[in-house]
Amino acid sequence: MTDSNSAHVQEEHHGSFKSYTIGFICSIILTVIPIAVVLNEWLQGTRLALVLMIAAVLQLFVQLLFFMHLREEKNPRYNLISLILGLVILVVIVAGSIWIMLNNMVAL
């Protein structure tokens, strides 16, 4: 008689202490950089927005790779396809909202 928990544990993919530590340090760095840039007013306008967006995208990738284990599964393709679909929906909603707000003739 086999224990169902032992079979389940063998199939799960969890990160090691080293990968969690690397992910945590990267997350801290990618959080501190934008805070320092904003609080010390090192950049203004477009450059500030660019730094904030780059840090946010890098933070997304760190979270996906180190904590959500996107690359460690048997079939990561399904998770990747779901992620891409979610991003496409997000871009369509945001771009459509911006387009509507910029081209709304009723508000003029």
Side-chain angles (χ1 to χ4, degrees):
M1 189 185 217
T2 61
D3 186 23
S4 63
N5 287 336
S6 65
H8 180 69
V9 169
Q10 290 175 354
E11 292 181 15
E12 286 185 9
H13 295 285
H14 293 288
S16 65
F17 181 75
K18 179 182 176 183
S19 72
Y20 283 134
T21 304
I22 292 170
F24 179 71
I25 291 170
C26 289
S27 294
I28 294 295
I29 291 170
L30 289 170
T31 301
V32 168
I33 289 172
I35 290 172
V37 169
V38 170
L39 291 179
N40 294 318
E41 298 178 0
W42 290 336
L43 296 173
Q44 308 278 318
T46 306
R47 290 182 181 170
L48 175 63
L50 188 63
V51 167
L52 294 177
M53 285 188 271
I54 290 172
V57 169
L58 290 175
Q59 183 79 263
L60 171 72
F61 286 121
V62 166
Q63 297 294 321
L64 287 173
L65 296 177
F66 287 103
F67 299 114
M68 298 183 79
H69 312 291
L70 184 64
R71 63 181 169 187
E72 295 177 1
E73 295 186 11
K74 282 183 183 177
N75 295 322
R77 188 175 312 140
Y78 299 117
N79 287 339
L80 184 61
I81 290 171
S82 298
L83 175 67
I84 291 171
L85 176 63
L87 290 174
V88 167
I89 292 170
L90 177 73
V91 166
V92 167
I93 290 172
V94 170
S97 298
I98 291 172
W99 181 72
I100 288 171
M101 288 187 285
L102 292 176
N103 296 308
N104 187 1
M105 296 299 166
V106 175
L108 297 176

